[in-house]
Amino acid sequence: MVSPVALVVSIWIALVVLPSYCNAISVLATLQPRHPRLFLHDADVPAIKHAISTNPFVGQEYQQLLAYGDELLTMPPDTYGLKGSEHSLLATARDMEGRIFTLAGLYRLTGDQRFSARATKEMLAAAAFPNWNPKHFLDTAEMTAALGLGYDWLYSTLSPADRATIRNAVATKGIDPWLKRLQGKGIPRNNWTQVCNGGETIGALAIGDEDPARASKVLDSARSAIADIMTLFAPDGGFSEGPMYWKYATIYNALYIDALDSALGRDFGAVAATGFSSTGDYRIQSDGPTHLLANFGDSNTNGATPVAQMFWFARRFNKPLYAGHALYLAQDKHGEKGHDRFGLFMLLWAAEWSAQAPSSGSNVTLPLVQSFVRIGQAYMRSAWHDPNAWYVGFKCGHALASHGDLDLGGQRWASDLGADSYGLPGYFNFHRQRWTYYRTRTEGQNTLTIDGQNEDLDAVAPMSAAGTMGNTLYAIGNLDQAYKGKLRSWKRGVAVIHKQRALVEDEIVPAQPVDVVWNFHTFARVQIAAGGRSATLTEGGATLRARILAPSSARFSTASTKVPPPQRPNPGLTNLVISLKKQSRPETIAVLFARPEDDATPRLRPLSTWK
């Protein structure tokens, strides 16, 4: 006979456990019962093969994938080892992704069991690693994505023992450390959210039928985390971490949504997030006419490359412009060398897009000037698809934006130095040590420094206006908060005038006597004219002249850009500066950039009249 106490305990336990069990059933209720369930169902394969044979770009991507797959057949599996300045497994995890995605994908498209056998060997090697380095969780998330997809796509070729080994690795080395992390410090609210939740979701869906308890916990957590992080695309698709991290975050955002759609038939509303359908605009606008990125913050200047998610965006939101931009970059052979670990998804999403590509709209372009409100950035150019076009990237926004520098007011006519080593002491200490390094502090940016100090860490600088004035493109940033207590107000305007010249105009009102330095970093050879009112910049056979239009007392000079180790050196870099000492009255600093033969001098107008 069961005692009353035992009965109460049994009922209490049932009440605690039952909701969790029901939740697992609910979130996985529509899980596709058979493998493969992720991204590419067996019924979709004929259409992909048709695109390979009929679409030149898709066919080219397939040939590149096939060549890489053949190369992998002769290579040994990856080995465990922590590398780089961050002492991480990330390089190995990314290489593993590229290998498994490629090999598993080629098996799905060709049926050649050499590829499935080689992918299995790769997965078993990863499963035998002592861990997937959860201390740097990006490593773990990307490994989970790799083995999750491989497990799902190659399920029918795996032996029962190999299935158990790989499934156990996904569960105990991928998912369990993630669930433990969620109970502790969590992860930063930046691109890590998309990558970690996206990677873990792929792993969870792959083993969801066999391990519903673990899988449901991952999916439930990811739903709220992704919904939260995707609010940062609102209202217009801008991305505060810059174009390099846009590429990283959005590929995993697309993978997350596509994994849910293919495995569950629903994405819990993620794809409808405000601004997400327009975020391809940001990708295109931050790609300059010579295909060097507007590399604010920790972004680099690497040539813009076609990325898989632009085809995904084009298909999902019926925006052929996005696919057109990727095709244009591919045709002109811009960008990075080597294997793209997401090359398989480039093929799949380009094929899917080509099957529904509308015949109209391919010649649509974005505006010549476009601002992104929440992140406080604006881009302007004198023409599209012209390598000689004038181009300006103008950044305001939040001083403490993830991967950002103290560069409110920076502009793309000069060179942004990009990231220093992530292994520098305190590089990601956003409250102190990060701002002691030249590449992140205000002095190292193309903006104003006041009294030689950094901008205020809590500063927010909105882009207050952007548009056209006749044949002039312009944007204005409100930087009043950048130096509280030192400047009563500071407005910066940037304009491209008649598609022939560019103007940078700063209006400052000091709150006390301050030393003001206008900074302009360039890798061009700089020659300052007699009298100091103009400077000629020469690089790669091209010449640009900078002229000071105001104040009348200002002169150009240069400042040192040398830094002590272990910071990265800045060889060939010149900081062209204008220094104003003990400035106590309202002042306008205006510099005009034009070709040397252009002597036209525009009439300066107060920024309040730019409209």
Side-chain angles (χ1 to χ4, degrees):
M1 179 177 180
V2 179
S3 72
V5 174
L7 182 61
V8 171
V9 170
S10 299
I11 294 173
W12 181 83
I13 291 174
L15 290 174
V16 171
V17 173
L18 187 58
S20 176
Y21 174 77
C22 290
N23 191 51
I25 295 298
S26 174
V27 76
L28 293 170
T30 57
L31 182 70
Q32 295 288 329
R34 296 175 180 236
H35 299 280
R37 63 172 66 105
L38 289 167
F39 305 111
L40 180 66
H41 298 159
D42 285 341
D44 302 326
V45 172
I48 303 299
K49 290 183 176 180
H50 178 73
I52 289 171
S53 64
T54 59
N55 183 287
F57 176 77
V58 178
Q60 172 187 300
E61 290 299 305
Y62 174 72
Q63 291 302 321
Q64 291 177 358
L65 207 67
L66 194 61
Y68 182 38
D70 286 339
E71 180 183 332
L72 288 172
L73 293 177
T74 66
M75 297 170 60
D78 273 322
T79 58
Y80 186 88
L82 304 183
K83 305 169 185 175
S85 60
E86 294 182 279
H87 203 54
S88 78
L89 194 65
L90 192 55
T92 299
R94 290 175 173 176
D95 190 52
M96 190 79 71
E97 275 183 309
R99 292 180 177 210
I100 295 174
F101 292 170
T102 297
L103 292 163
L106 287 172
Y107 170 73
R108 297 289 310 283
L109 296 173
T110 67
D112 188 336
Q113 295 201 4
R114 295 179 304 156
F115 295 125
S116 62
R118 178 63 185 80
T120 300
K121 186 181 294 186
E122 200 76 53
M123 291 192 289
L124 292 175
F129 286 180
N131 56 61
W132 292 348
N133 197 35
K135 291 182 179 180
H136 188 256
F137 210 88
L138 294 177
D139 314 11
T140 312
E142 297 205 32
M143 289 287 285
T144 305
L147 269 72
L149 180 139
Y151 180 79
D152 178 59
W153 280 17
L154 302 178
Y155 187 87
S156 64
T157 72
L158 296 172
S159 69
D162 288 346
R163 287 176 191 166
T165 298
I166 296 167
R167 182 174 63 247
N168 183 64
V170 170
T172 62
K173 295 178 180 177
I175 293 177
D176 285 352
W178 176 237
L179 298 177
K180 182 178 179 181
R181 177 106 181 198
L182 293 177
Q183 293 173 354
K185 62 181 179 180
I187 57 170
R189 189 173 183 257
N190 57 15
N191 63 85
W192 282 55
T193 301
Q194 283 107 323
V195 175
C196 293
N197 284 282
E200 292 294 318
T201 293
I202 292 170
L205 291 169
I207 66 171
D209 53 337
E210 297 157 300
D211 199 339
R214 279 189 174 95
S216 64
K217 290 177 183 177
V218 171
L219 296 181
D220 281 337
S221 173
R223 286 172 62 181
S224 58
I226 292 292
D228 173 65
I229 199 66
M230 290 184 72
T231 62
L232 300 186
F233 288 110
D236 46 32
F239 192 74
S240 59
E241 293 181 78
M244 186 176 79
Y245 283 98
W246 177 94
K247 176 181 176 181
Y248 190 31
T250 56
I251 184 65
Y252 269 96
N253 224 141
L255 289 171
Y256 169 79
I257 293 170
D258 227 33
L260 290 174
D261 277 345
S262 57
L264 299 179
R266 54 177 175 165
D267 64 20
F268 308 111
V271 78
T274 302
F276 191 54
S277 64
S278 300
T279 196
D281 289 15
Y282 180 78
R283 164 71 178 181
I284 296 173
Q285 290 287 13
S286 62
D287 171 18
T290 58
H291 302 292
L292 295 179
L293 297 174
N295 61 315
F296 299 123
D298 281 336
S299 182
N300 58 40
T301 60
N302 284 0
T305 57
V307 292
Q309 58 267 46
M310 288 297 273
F311 290 104
W312 188 89
F313 285 123
R315 176 176 61 87
R316 276 304 185 108
F317 303 117
N318 192 24
K319 293 194 174 183
L321 169 66
Y322 293 172
H325 182 256
L327 291 170
Y328 173 70
L329 292 176
Q331 178 182 349
D332 282 19
K333 304 184 187 305
H334 298 295
E336 304 164 348
K337 304 294 183 183
H339 303 295
D340 181 351
R341 70 188 189 278
F342 299 113
L344 172 73
F345 290 96
M346 182 87 77
L347 185 156
L348 294 182
W349 290 338
E352 291 170 356
W353 170 78
S354 69
Q356 67 162 46
S359 58
S360 62
S362 59
N363 294 321
V364 174
T365 58
L366 294 177
L368 293 176
V369 57
Q370 186 171 1
S371 65
F372 298 91
V373 175
R374 187 190 63 79
I375 65 172
Q377 294 181 22
Y379 296 89
M380 59 193 81
R381 67 188 75 211
S382 59
W384 286 101
H385 306 312
D386 178 0
N388 296 311
W390 291 86
Y391 175 75
V392 178
F394 181 24
K395 178 185 179 298
C396 292
H398 293 248
L400 286 180
S402 177
H403 282 285
D405 300 337
L406 293 181
D407 58 358
L408 303 183
Q411 37 80 23
R412 185 64 173 91
W413 286 110
S415 293
D416 190 297
L417 301 178
D420 211 314
S421 169
Y422 284 9
L424 284 175
Y427 191 76
F428 289 106
N429 180 343
F430 278 77
H431 295 286
R432 187 177 59 183
Q433 196 166 356
R434 178 181 177 88
W435 315 121
T436 65
Y437 299 122
Y438 190 83
R439 290 180 176 230
T440 54
R441 67 178 182 253
T442 305
E443 178 190 4
Q445 316 306 318
N446 304 312
T447 186
L448 301 186
T449 50
I450 304 298
D451 287 340
Q453 296 181 12
N454 282 326
E455 294 168 338
D456 293 351
L457 296 183
D458 61 351
V460 178
M463 193 67 64
S464 57
T468 59
M469 301 180 291
N471 291 325
T472 294
L473 314 173
Y474 75 94
I476 301 172
N478 182 336
L479 297 122
D480 290 353
Q481 294 185 30
Y483 288 103
K484 294 182 287 292
K486 293 182 177 294
L487 297 181
R488 294 189 190 280
S489 74
W490 171 21
K491 307 295 189 296
R492 166 166 279 198
V494 181
V496 175
I497 304 170
H498 299 293
K499 300 183 179 182
Q500 296 178 355
R501 55 195 74 93
L503 175 68
V504 179
E505 184 171 331
D506 292 283
E507 295 178 347
I508 61 170
V509 179
Q512 61 186 44
V514 292
D515 293 338
V516 181
V517 177
W518 181 97
N519 300 277
F520 180 93
H521 292 80
T522 179
F523 286 101
R525 182 170 61 86
V526 177
Q527 184 175 2
I528 298 175
R533 295 286 291 174
S534 69
T536 301
L537 284 64
T538 305
E539 184 176 14
T543 305
L544 184 72
R545 184 171 60 158
R547 285 193 287 149
I548 300 174
L549 303 186
S552 59
S553 61
R555 300 292 184 269
F556 281 128
S557 61
T558 59
S560 174
T561 61
K562 292 182 179 180
V563 295
Q567 295 181 67
R568 288 177 178 166
N570 303 308
L573 181 72
T574 298
N575 187 11
L576 181 67
V577 302
I578 299 170
S579 299
L580 304 177
K581 298 292 186 181
K582 300 303 178 187
Q583 189 70 36
S584 59
R585 297 181 179 180
E587 189 60 271
T588 296
I589 305 170
V591 178
L592 184 72
F593 297 88
R595 294 177 174 85
E597 67 276 10
D598 184 352
D599 290 324
T601 301
R603 179 175 63 88
L604 290 182
R605 297 169 49 189
L607 296 179
S608 60
T609 68
W610 288 21
K611 59 182 68 175

